[in-house]
PDB file of all heavy atoms in Angstrom:
ATOM      1  N   LEU B  42     101.834 161.386  82.799  1.00 94.00           N
ATOM      2  CA  LEU B  42     102.593 160.276  83.347  1.00 94.00           C
ATOM      3  C   LEU B  42     101.932 158.982  82.932  1.00 94.00           C
ATOM      4  O   LEU B  42     102.634 157.992  82.566  1.00 94.00           O
ATOM      5  CB  LEU B  42     102.583 160.412  84.904  1.00 94.00           C
ATOM      6  CG  LEU B  42     103.507 159.550  85.630  1.00 94.00           C
ATOM      7  CD1 LEU B  42     104.958 160.081  85.612  1.00 94.00           C
ATOM      8  CD2 LEU B  42     103.094 159.423  87.133  1.00 94.00           C
ATOM      9  N   GLY B  43     100.605 158.933  82.978  1.00 95.00           N
ATOM     10  CA  GLY B  43      99.899 157.707  82.624  1.00 95.00           C
ATOM     11  C   GLY B  43     100.086 157.378  81.131  1.00 95.00           C
ATOM     12  O   GLY B  43     100.365 156.218  80.813  1.00 95.00           O
ATOM     13  N   ILE B  44      99.949 158.382  80.248  1.00 96.00           N
ATOM     14  CA  ILE B  44     100.186 158.118  78.807  1.00 96.00           C
ATOM     15  C   ILE B  44     101.527 157.506  78.601  1.00 96.00           C
ATOM     16  O   ILE B  44     101.666 156.465  77.897  1.00 96.00           O
ATOM     17  CB  ILE B  44     100.058 159.431  78.005  1.00 96.00           C
ATOM     18  CG1 ILE B  44      98.600 159.986  78.109  1.00 96.00           C
ATOM     19  CG2 ILE B  44     100.384 159.191  76.555  1.00 96.00           C
ATOM     20  CD1 ILE B  44      98.423 161.369  77.531  1.00 96.00           C
ATOM     21  N   MET B  45     102.547 158.110  79.192  1.00 96.00           N
ATOM     22  CA  MET B  45     103.926 157.617  78.960  1.00 96.00           C
ATOM     23  C   MET B  45     104.074 156.209  79.527  1.00 96.00           C
ATOM     24  O   MET B  45     104.695 155.338  78.919  1.00 96.00           O
ATOM     25  CB  MET B  45     104.933 158.551  79.602  1.00 96.00           C
ATOM     26  CG  MET B  45     105.154 159.798  78.832  1.00 96.00           C
ATOM     27  SD  MET B  45     105.494 159.621  77.036  1.00 96.00           S
ATOM     28  CE  MET B  45     107.070 158.846  77.060  1.00 96.00           C
ATOM     29  N   SER B  46     103.516 155.931  80.715  1.00 96.00           N
ATOM     30  CA  SER B  46     103.702 154.566  81.326  1.00 96.00           C
ATOM     31  C   SER B  46     103.064 153.550  80.372  1.00 96.00           C
ATOM     32  O   SER B  46     103.565 152.448  80.146  1.00 96.00           O
ATOM     33  CB  SER B  46     102.909 154.512  82.673  1.00 96.00           C
ATOM     34  OG  SER B  46     103.277 155.536  83.502  1.00 96.00           O
ATOM     35  N   ILE B  47     101.887 153.895  79.838  1.00 96.00           N
ATOM     36  CA  ILE B  47     101.203 152.977  78.951  1.00 96.00           C
ATOM     37  C   ILE B  47     102.025 152.729  77.670  1.00 96.00           C
ATOM     38  O   ILE B  47     102.160 151.607  77.179  1.00 96.00           O
ATOM     39  CB  ILE B  47      99.751 153.494  78.606  1.00 96.00           C
ATOM     40  CG1 ILE B  47      98.913 153.542  79.823  1.00 96.00           C
ATOM     41  CG2 ILE B  47      99.160 152.668  77.450  1.00 96.00           C
ATOM     42  CD1 ILE B  47      97.672 154.372  79.665  1.00 96.00           C
ATOM     43  N   LEU B  48     102.575 153.819  77.103  1.00 96.00           N
ATOM     44  CA  LEU B  48     103.349 153.627  75.876  1.00 96.00           C
ATOM     45  C   LEU B  48     104.715 153.054  76.060  1.00 96.00           C
ATOM     46  O   LEU B  48     105.334 152.576  75.115  1.00 96.00           O
ATOM     47  CB  LEU B  48     103.461 155.035  75.178  1.00 96.00           C
ATOM     48  CG  LEU B  48     102.124 155.588  74.651  1.00 96.00           C
ATOM     49  CD1 LEU B  48     102.327 156.947  74.003  1.00 96.00           C
ATOM     50  CD2 LEU B  48     101.460 154.643  73.666  1.00 96.00           C
ATOM     51  N   MET B  49     105.179 152.961  77.319  1.00 95.00           N
ATOM     52  CA  MET B  49     106.449 152.296  77.570  1.00 95.00           C
ATOM     53  C   MET B  49     106.277 150.783  77.422  1.00 95.00           C
ATOM     54  O   MET B  49     107.181 150.069  77.073  1.00 95.00           O
ATOM     55  CB  MET B  49     106.938 152.547  79.029  1.00 95.00           C
ATOM     56  CG  MET B  49     107.433 153.933  79.240  1.00 95.00           C
ATOM     57  SD  MET B  49     108.969 154.298  78.280  1.00 95.00           S
ATOM     58  CE  MET B  49     110.242 153.556  79.398  1.00 95.00           C
ATOM     59  N   VAL B  50     105.077 150.228  77.702  1.00 93.00           N
ATOM     60  CA  VAL B  50     104.905 148.779  77.711  1.00 93.00           C
ATOM     61  C   VAL B  50     104.024 148.258  76.595  1.00 93.00           C
ATOM     62  O   VAL B  50     103.822 147.056  76.452  1.00 93.00           O
ATOM     63  CB  VAL B  50     104.395 148.246  79.067  1.00 93.00           C
ATOM     64  CG1 VAL B  50     105.439 148.355  80.129  1.00 93.00           C
ATOM     65  CG2 VAL B  50     103.124 149.012  79.464  1.00 93.00           C
ATOM     66  N   ASN B  51     103.461 149.187  75.741  1.00 92.00           N
ATOM     67  CA  ASN B  51     102.646 148.790  74.602  1.00 92.00           C
ATOM     68  C   ASN B  51     103.204 149.437  73.382  1.00 92.00           C
ATOM     69  O   ASN B  51     103.519 150.696  73.409  1.00 92.00           O
ATOM     70  CB  ASN B  51     101.183 149.246  74.778  1.00 92.00           C
ATOM     71  CG  ASN B  51     100.480 148.509  75.926  1.00 92.00           C
ATOM     72  OD1 ASN B  51     100.025 147.438  75.771  1.00 92.00           O
ATOM     73  ND2 ASN B  51     100.488 149.216  77.107  1.00 92.00           N
ATOM     74  N   ASP B  52     103.362 148.687  72.293  1.00 90.00           N
ATOM     75  CA  ASP B  52     103.968 149.276  71.025  1.00 90.00           C
ATOM     76  C   ASP B  52     103.132 150.441  70.527  1.00 90.00           C
ATOM     77  O   ASP B  52     103.624 151.509  70.322  1.00 90.00           O
ATOM     78  CB  ASP B  52     104.089 148.224  69.993  1.00 90.00           C
ATOM     79  CG  ASP B  52     105.100 147.133  70.402  1.00 90.00           C
ATOM     80  OD1 ASP B  52     105.921 147.465  71.272  1.00 90.00           O
ATOM     81  OD2 ASP B  52     105.133 146.036  69.823  1.00 90.00           O
ATOM     82  N   THR B  53     101.822 150.196  70.290  1.00 90.00           N
ATOM     83  CA  THR B  53     100.923 151.207  69.827  1.00 90.00           C
ATOM     84  C   THR B  53      99.654 151.108  70.590  1.00 90.00           C
ATOM     85  O   THR B  53      99.197 150.054  70.890  1.00 90.00           O
ATOM     86  CB  THR B  53     100.609 151.092  68.310  1.00 90.00           C
ATOM     87  OG1 THR B  53      99.967 149.894  68.129  1.00 90.00           O
ATOM     88  CG2 THR B  53     101.851 151.186  67.415  1.00 90.00           C
ATOM     89  N   VAL B  54      99.061 152.233  70.852  1.00 93.00           N
ATOM     90  CA  VAL B  54      97.797 152.331  71.596  1.00 93.00           C
ATOM     91  C   VAL B  54      96.913 153.363  70.927  1.00 93.00           C
ATOM     92  O   VAL B  54      97.396 154.458  70.501  1.00 93.00           O
ATOM     93  CB  VAL B  54      98.014 152.711  73.084  1.00 93.00           C
ATOM     94  CG1 VAL B  54      96.736 152.822  73.793  1.00 93.00           C
ATOM     95  CG2 VAL B  54      98.889 151.647  73.773  1.00 93.00           C
ATOM     96  N   ASP B  55      95.601 153.104  70.816  1.00 90.00           N
ATOM     97  CA  ASP B  55      94.757 154.096  70.189  1.00 90.00           C
ATOM     98  C   ASP B  55      94.072 154.989  71.203  1.00 90.00           C
ATOM     99  O   ASP B  55      94.161 154.751  72.443  1.00 90.00           O
ATOM    100  CB  ASP B  55      93.748 153.467  69.171  1.00 90.00           C
ATOM    101  CG  ASP B  55      92.713 152.610  69.892  1.00 90.00           C
ATOM    102  OD1 ASP B  55      92.531 152.750  71.123  1.00 90.00           O
ATOM    103  OD2 ASP B  55      92.101 151.719  69.214  1.00 90.00           O
ATOM    104  N   PHE B  56      93.402 156.005  70.686  1.00 92.00           N
ATOM    105  CA  PHE B  56      92.846 157.086  71.564  1.00 92.00           C
ATOM    106  C   PHE B  56      91.835 156.500  72.585  1.00 92.00           C
ATOM    107  O   PHE B  56      91.908 156.846  73.770  1.00 92.00           O
ATOM    108  CB  PHE B  56      92.149 158.136  70.650  1.00 92.00           C
ATOM    109  CG  PHE B  56      91.814 159.407  71.389  1.00 92.00           C
ATOM    110  CD1 PHE B  56      92.696 160.384  71.628  1.00 92.00           C
ATOM    111  CD2 PHE B  56      90.478 159.532  71.904  1.00 92.00           C
ATOM    112  CE1 PHE B  56      92.364 161.523  72.269  1.00 92.00           C
ATOM    113  CE2 PHE B  56      90.159 160.649  72.609  1.00 92.00           C
ATOM    114  CZ  PHE B  56      91.065 161.666  72.767  1.00 92.00           C
ATOM    115  N   ASN B  57      90.943 155.636  72.074  1.00 89.00           N
ATOM    116  CA  ASN B  57      89.902 155.134  72.982  1.00 89.00           C
ATOM    117  C   ASN B  57      90.508 154.309  74.115  1.00 89.00           C
ATOM    118  O   ASN B  57      89.984 154.289  75.257  1.00 89.00           O
ATOM    119  CB  ASN B  57      88.853 154.323  72.160  1.00 89.00           C
ATOM    120  CG  ASN B  57      87.974 155.255  71.368  1.00 89.00           C
ATOM    121  OD1 ASN B  57      87.796 156.426  71.741  1.00 89.00           O
ATOM    122  ND2 ASN B  57      87.467 154.738  70.256  1.00 89.00           N
ATOM    123  N   ARG B  58      91.532 153.542  73.795  1.00 89.00           N
ATOM    124  CA  ARG B  58      92.161 152.708  74.783  1.00 89.00           C
ATOM    125  C   ARG B  58      92.781 153.596  75.850  1.00 89.00           C
ATOM    126  O   ARG B  58      92.704 153.306  77.028  1.00 89.00           O
ATOM    127  CB  ARG B  58      93.191 151.814  74.095  1.00 89.00           C
ATOM    128  CG  ARG B  58      94.036 150.955  75.029  1.00 89.00           C
ATOM    129  CD  ARG B  58      93.299 149.820  75.536  1.00 89.00           C
ATOM    130  NE  ARG B  58      94.223 148.927  76.338  1.00 89.00           N
ATOM    131  CZ  ARG B  58      93.823 148.236  77.428  1.00 89.00           C
ATOM    132  NH1 ARG B  58      92.583 148.361  77.860  1.00 89.00           N
ATOM    133  NH2 ARG B  58      94.687 147.552  78.073  1.00 89.00           N
ATOM    134  N   LEU B  59      93.448 154.672  75.461  1.00 93.00           N
ATOM    135  CA  LEU B  59      94.047 155.617  76.410  1.00 93.00           C
ATOM    136  C   LEU B  59      92.980 156.197  77.297  1.00 93.00           C
ATOM    137  O   LEU B  59      93.126 156.295  78.500  1.00 93.00           O
ATOM    138  CB  LEU B  59      94.762 156.719  75.687  1.00 93.00           C
ATOM    139  CG  LEU B  59      96.126 156.404  75.077  1.00 93.00           C
ATOM    140  CD1 LEU B  59      96.730 157.577  74.329  1.00 93.00           C
ATOM    141  CD2 LEU B  59      97.107 155.967  76.183  1.00 93.00           C
ATOM    142  N   LYS B  60      91.843 156.538  76.607  1.00 92.00           N
ATOM    143  CA  LYS B  60      90.731 157.164  77.334  1.00 92.00           C
ATOM    144  C   LYS B  60      90.165 156.230  78.409  1.00 92.00           C
ATOM    145  O   LYS B  60      89.945 156.588  79.563  1.00 92.00           O
ATOM    146  CB  LYS B  60      89.625 157.536  76.297  1.00 92.00           C
ATOM    147  CG  LYS B  60      88.879 158.742  76.719  1.00 92.00           C
ATOM    148  CD  LYS B  60      87.907 159.071  75.610  1.00 92.00           C
ATOM    149  CE  LYS B  60      86.528 158.766  76.069  1.00 92.00           C
ATOM    150  NZ  LYS B  60      85.501 159.020  75.074  1.00 92.00           N
ATOM    151  N   GLU B  61      90.039 154.935  78.042  1.00 87.00           N
ATOM    152  CA  GLU B  61      89.502 153.926  78.924  1.00 87.00           C
ATOM    153  C   GLU B  61      90.480 153.738  80.125  1.00 87.00           C
ATOM    154  O   GLU B  61      90.007 153.678  81.247  1.00 87.00           O
ATOM    155  CB  GLU B  61      89.354 152.597  78.120  1.00 87.00           C
ATOM    156  CG  GLU B  61      88.918 151.463  78.966  1.00 87.00           C
ATOM    157  CD  GLU B  61      89.378 150.122  78.366  1.00 87.00           C
ATOM    158  OE1 GLU B  61      89.829 150.042  77.198  1.00 87.00           O
ATOM    159  OE2 GLU B  61      89.368 149.135  79.134  1.00 87.00           O
ATOM    160  N   LEU B  62      91.736 153.645  79.794  1.00 90.00           N
ATOM    161  CA  LEU B  62      92.693 153.304  80.824  1.00 90.00           C
ATOM    162  C   LEU B  62      92.827 154.506  81.838  1.00 90.00           C
ATOM    163  O   LEU B  62      92.986 154.338  83.061  1.00 90.00           O
ATOM    164  CB  LEU B  62      94.056 152.987  80.301  1.00 90.00           C
ATOM    165  CG  LEU B  62      94.202 151.595  79.700  1.00 90.00           C
ATOM    166  CD1 LEU B  62      95.442 151.481  78.823  1.00 90.00           C
ATOM    167  CD2 LEU B  62      94.247 150.522  80.852  1.00 90.00           C
TER     168      LEU B  62
END
Side-chain angles (χ1 to χ4, degrees):
Chain B
L42 192 77
I44 296 172
M45 287 310 291
S46 308
I47 294 164
L48 292 179
M49 287 294 277
V50 289
N51 293 277
D52 293 342
T53 62
V54 174
D55 66 19
F56 191 85
N57 286 334
R58 174 77 175 143
L59 283 178
K60 214 175 105 181
E61 176 207 344
L62 284 165

